[in-house]
Amino acid sequence: MNRPRAPLMPLDDALATLLAQALPFAEIEQVSTFDADGRVLAQDAVSPLQVPPHDNSAMDGYALRCADVAALAEGGSLPVSQRIPAGTAAQPLQPGTAARIFTGASIPPGADAVVMQEDCEVQPDQSIRVQRAPQPGQWLRRAGEDVTKNAVVLSKGERLTPASIALAASIGMDKVPVARRPRVALFSTGDELVMPGEVLPQDMRPGAIYNSNRFFLRALLQRLGCVVTDYGIVPDQRAATEDALRSASQAHDLILTSGGVSVGEEDHVKPAVQALGQLSLWQIAIKPGKPFAYGTVGQSHFIGLPGNPVSSYITFLLLVRPFLLRLQGATQLQPPAVSLPAHFSWPRADQRREFLRVRRNAAGGLDLFANQSSGVLTSAAWGDGVVDNPAGQTIAHGDMVRFISLAELQA
């Protein structure tokens, strides 16, 4: 007697269920600002000072009073009363004079504008003739125009970027408080798997394939700041699988595998996880990537991804990535989709939500990779994004579609 099939779980429901299990880490690490790129900020960064601390010059030129220039007789010039390189203290500007000033140098008290050197003519006596009348505030950077004192410049939960760590440094932070790194154990299972370099292509036994999933999963985990323990290819035996899971559960936040999570498939991972903890098998309404497993082994989360490489890749980006970011307390879990025109047709509507591999073209539209099979890893390497196509939706040439950048999904 055939059992009725369980309904497919919508992706948004699967993600919400998964994220509900991802309790953010309580531990906070203080790391060098140099080493904080990609980490998640664990506390607000509050500025103890204003940036810039003083009014300063945005140009090499001359600091002066606009009224002094306006009062000059025809062909008159202003004597230069001081020279102010960046990093030196400026003296009050003497009335009727100008100060030679350089980019970033403090504006002398009394000056209300900077005239860039290209608009000044230096006279034989080293005075200057201003060739273009200045306006008050011209080429001045005001104190605090970048950051005001006591302002929150970076918020808890932000994932730090090169620009944001520079901002942290600009307010004097040599260290930043961040969430600790997730510890992830990575497993490969299957006797059909072999490693590049260990077996030459001409020596591949019948039925063997190279273990490509291990490479992109490890790279994606490292990009997310994870500390990865790669258990390699675990022998396709129940005892070996249980031993590896038991060992990994002692010191890892997440155990991640690919393959062997399709409903009804007799592999060793499922019974081993069930023997040591709990396991739920989900059928998610997405294409590629329907089979997915979530459970626990001891104190560790367990996630099992499908074995087909594109399915494994897409489900990692859509589900595992936000899960790992949530563990680190991140507030932005997914990149936004943008609307772009499809320069292709997709006449075959599917009952599942589809993620089509595409690439932006010079005309501002999207080209579709011809073969969208879940086993064609070329589509992921060729594409620079995916089209998030709703279930039951066809696409005609010129339709506006939801594009998600792979560069942002892989960051």
Side-chain angles (χ1 to χ4, degrees):
M1 180 178 178
N2 293 328
R3 294 181 179 179
R5 291 184 178 180
L8 298 179
M9 182 184 296
L11 174 62
D12 292 342
D13 292 351
L15 181 58
T17 302
L18 190 63
L19 292 179
Q21 308 302 315
L23 299 179
F25 300 142
E27 302 96 322
I28 296 176
E29 298 177 350
Q30 296 286 337
V31 302
S32 167
T33 306
F34 279 119
D35 301 324
D37 184 36
R39 305 294 294 272
V40 177
L41 196 64
Q43 297 171 344
D44 289 347
V46 179
S47 180
L49 75 167
Q50 61 182 6
V51 180
H54 308 287
D55 291 353
N56 69 84
S57 177
M59 287 285 176
D60 290 348
Y62 296 88
L64 42 70
R65 292 180 178 86
C66 294
D68 289 341
V69 176
L72 287 174
E74 180 82 18
S77 62
L78 295 174
V80 177
S81 57
Q82 61 177 304
R83 185 176 185 274
I84 315 171
T88 62
Q91 300 301 314
L93 185 66
Q94 298 174 24
T97 71
R100 179 68 166 121
I101 198 166
F102 298 88
T103 303
S106 296
I107 298 296
D112 61 6
V114 170
V115 178
M116 58 183 178
Q117 60 191 22
E118 292 88 342
D119 291 334
C120 296
E121 181 181 334
V122 180
Q123 303 303 299
D125 62 358
Q126 300 305 304
S127 65
I128 60 160
R129 182 175 298 164
V130 179
Q131 298 175 312
R132 184 176 300 175
Q135 298 298 315
Q138 175 178 296
W139 300 120
L140 298 186
R141 297 173 180 154
R142 295 299 186 185
E145 73 174 28
D146 187 4
V147 177
T148 57
K149 187 176 181 179
N150 297 322
V152 175
V153 298
L154 298 167
S155 298
K156 176 182 177 180
E158 286 191 41
R159 195 161 174 224
L160 297 171
T161 64
S164 57
I165 61 175
L167 181 56
S170 78
I171 63 169
M173 298 181 70
D174 66 322
K175 291 183 171 56
V176 289
V178 295
R180 71 166 174 85
R181 296 181 183 275
R183 300 181 295 261
V184 180
L186 181 61
F187 282 71
S188 298
T189 63
D191 287 342
E192 76 279 11
L193 298 177
V194 297
M195 287 298 294
E198 295 180 3
V199 180
L200 296 176
Q202 62 268 26
D203 297 330
M204 295 274 279
R205 66 181 184 277
I209 58 173
Y210 284 123
N211 185 3
S212 60
N213 292 13
R214 181 178 174 186
F215 286 84
F216 69 71
L217 290 174
R218 181 168 170 172
L220 290 169
L221 289 168
Q222 290 172 335
R223 287 189 175 196
L224 288 166
C226 299
V227 178
V228 181
T229 304
D230 191 338
Y231 279 73
I233 300 173
V234 176
D236 217 357
Q237 302 165 6
R238 172 70 175 270
T241 304
E242 286 193 15
D243 286 345
L245 288 169
R246 189 179 294 108
S247 172
S249 69
Q250 303 302 311
H252 295 91
D253 304 298
L254 171 65
I255 301 169
L256 182 67
T257 66
S258 65
V261 294
S262 296
V263 171
E265 186 174 340
E266 293 298 330
D267 72 291
H268 295 293
V269 174
K270 289 190 296 185
V273 172
Q274 290 168 332
L276 298 173
Q278 298 179 351
L279 183 67
S280 298
L281 297 174
W282 302 345
Q283 294 286 289
I284 302 176
I286 60 173
K287 184 179 182 181
K290 182 169 69 172
F292 187 86
Y294 172 78
T296 55
V297 179
Q299 299 301 308
S300 298
H301 300 280
F302 171 84
I303 291 179
L305 300 176
N308 281 325
V310 183
S311 296
S312 185
Y313 175 70
I314 293 295
T315 51
F316 182 99
L317 296 178
L318 298 179
L319 292 165
V320 182
R321 179 181 183 272
F323 179 83
L324 289 167
L325 289 174
R326 173 62 60 83
L327 286 180
Q328 298 174 76
T331 52
Q332 182 65 44
L333 303 182
Q334 294 173 307
V338 297
S339 185
L340 290 175
H343 288 180
F344 62 89
S345 297
W346 188 251
R348 304 183 301 276
D350 196 278
Q351 66 174 346
R352 291 180 280 165
R353 183 174 170 181
E354 298 175 288
F355 290 88
L356 308 172
R357 277 77 69 204
V358 295
R359 184 163 67 184
R360 285 167 288 193
N361 58 37
L366 300 172
D367 295 328
L368 181 75
F369 193 80
N371 189 339
Q372 291 288 317
S373 168
S374 62
V376 179
L377 195 53
T378 309
S379 66
W382 173 89
D384 65 2
V386 292
V387 166
D388 180 0
N389 191 43
Q393 181 73 51
T394 60
I395 301 172
H397 193 286
D399 284 350
M400 301 302 290
V401 294
R402 284 168 46 86
F403 172 83
I404 306 173
S405 164
L406 281 177
E408 293 188 56
L409 278 173
Q410 295 176 122

